[in-house]
Amino acid sequence: GGGAGIAACCDLRIGTETTRMGFPIARTLGNCLSMSNISRVVALVGPARTKDMIFKARLVEAQEALALGLLNEVVPDVETLQRRADETAKLVASHAPLTLEATKEAVRRIRRTLSREEGEDLILKAYMSEDFREGMDAFLNKRTPNWKGK
């Protein structure tokens, strides 16, 4: 889950054929993503697919992640991943920096990101709940949580 959130922050994402991504928090910890992370994921895959992944607490396999836009490219293994990431970084670094900067800023301006204040009530509700404490305890003790909606 944390890895998928970090990946959503990246401009380009490369994974291996064994990559699995998602946000299983509805089945594990019972918390919620930050408004920034929700905004990023919705911008990448849309609202319906975001809800599908989070509601079902499922991890998306590499080829589906590629089709959804969670990954830009899938390579066979970690060795290839490291080489491909290096090649991609060198390629992007060789391009006009002002074009890249303007593009990144334009996309940021077009995409509405919820502020921390706009979602603070949701964050507090999730993280201060009995369910979150139950989720943490269950996670740490490797057992299935008993959700109560409180």
Side-chain angles (χ1 to χ4, degrees):
I6 292 169
C9 296
C10 298
D11 294 318
L12 301 172
R13 293 162 304 282
I14 304 169
T16 67
E17 291 175 355
T18 60
T19 295
R20 293 176 41 179
M21 307 174 74
F23 305 94
I25 54 179
R27 131 174 86 75
T28 57
L29 297 176
N31 59 341
C32 66
L33 298 179
S34 70
M35 296 306 102
S36 297
N37 275 331
I38 288 281
S39 296
R40 285 185 201 100
V41 176
V42 167
L44 285 172
V45 303
R49 288 186 176 124
T50 299
K51 287 189 270 186
D52 178 69
M53 284 192 306
I54 295 173
F55 287 8
K56 293 178 181 177
R58 67 188 187 90
L59 297 177
V60 176
E61 303 290 332
Q63 289 304 318
E64 184 181 2
L66 179 64
L68 292 174
L70 287 171
L71 291 174
N72 299 96
E73 185 177 347
V74 175
V75 296
D77 51 42
V78 174
E79 182 180 305
T80 307
L81 173 69
Q82 291 171 336
R83 186 176 67 250
R84 188 68 185 121
D86 188 51
E87 292 167 359
T88 301
K90 288 177 182 173
L91 175 67
V92 172
S94 74
H95 292 157
L98 293 178
T99 300
L100 303 178
E101 180 184 357
T103 301
K104 187 168 179 160
E105 179 60 17
V107 169
R108 187 195 67 76
R109 290 181 187 185
I110 290 167
R111 201 175 76 197
R112 173 154 162 45
T113 300
L114 295 176
S115 72
R116 176 178 213 150
E117 294 77 31
E118 289 175 286
E120 191 168 336
D121 61 322
L122 302 173
I123 301 292
L124 287 173
K125 182 177 181 179
Y127 280 87
M128 301 305 288
S129 70
E130 289 178 31
D131 274 0
F132 179 64
R133 286 189 293 281
E134 166 64 12
M136 286 293 295
D137 185 66
F139 182 80
L140 293 172
N141 290 296
K142 297 180 180 9
R143 64 174 176 80
T144 302
N146 181 21
W147 307 119
K148 294 188 177 15
K150 298 179 183 183

